[in-house]
Amino acid sequence: MDQETTSTTTVLDPKTTKKKYPEARIIVLDDNFNTFDHVANCLVTIIPRMSKKRSWILAFKVDREGLAEVWRGSLEQAELYHQQLISKGLTMAPIEKT
């Protein structure tokens, strides 16, 4: 008994690249009313895996340079963190897609 097997093989076009998920940057801006302590506490509370030391370094950078990138990653997460930081009263640049 001879059984014929048929299989379907799909060949992917090597020129086709996977689309990356959109990425974005979150940037905190300097203002005249948020304290270092408030900025650092907001960062450590809202941004995952943000250390206290790093949050203070970023708070000082915001003051010294006028802004600091505090997080980079997927656009969806960036939108969430951005909105949460705004709700805490931080002055934020618009989300910057990368």
Side-chain angles (χ1 to χ4, degrees), residues 20-87:
K20 290 176 66 177
Y21 288 109
E23 290 203 343
R25 298 171 24 162
I26 298 177
I27 298 171
V28 176
L29 301 174
D30 189 26
D31 57 38
N32 293 324
F33 48 89
N34 282 304
T35 64
F36 293 112
D37 192 45
H38 180 66
V39 172
N41 284 334
C42 288
L43 294 177
V44 85
T45 301
I46 293 169
I47 306 294
R49 295 178 298 284
M50 175 70 67
S51 69
K52 282 193 171 208
K53 181 178 179 180
R54 179 81 176 133
S55 71
W56 276 95
I57 289 168
L58 290 169
F60 281 109
K61 184 175 181 180
V62 168
D63 183 61
R64 187 178 62 250
E65 298 179 18
L67 58 89
E69 178 184 304
V70 298
W71 190 83
R72 181 185 292 245
S74 76
L75 178 59
E76 187 175 353
Q77 287 178 295
E79 289 169 341
L80 173 65
Y81 304 149
H82 189 264
Q83 187 56 46
Q84 289 174 330
L85 291 168
I86 288 172
S87 74

Side-chain angles (χ1 to χ4, degrees), residues 1-8:
M1 201 185 291
D2 188 15
Q3 289 185 343
E4 188 176 315
T5 59
T6 59
S7 66
T8 304

Side-chain angles (χ1 to χ4, degrees), residues 7-13:
S7 66
T8 304
T9 304
T10 303
V11 177
L12 299 176
D13 183 356

Side-chain angles (χ1 to χ4, degrees), residues 12-18:
L12 299 176
D13 183 356
K15 294 177 187 171
T16 304
T17 58
K18 291 182 183 179

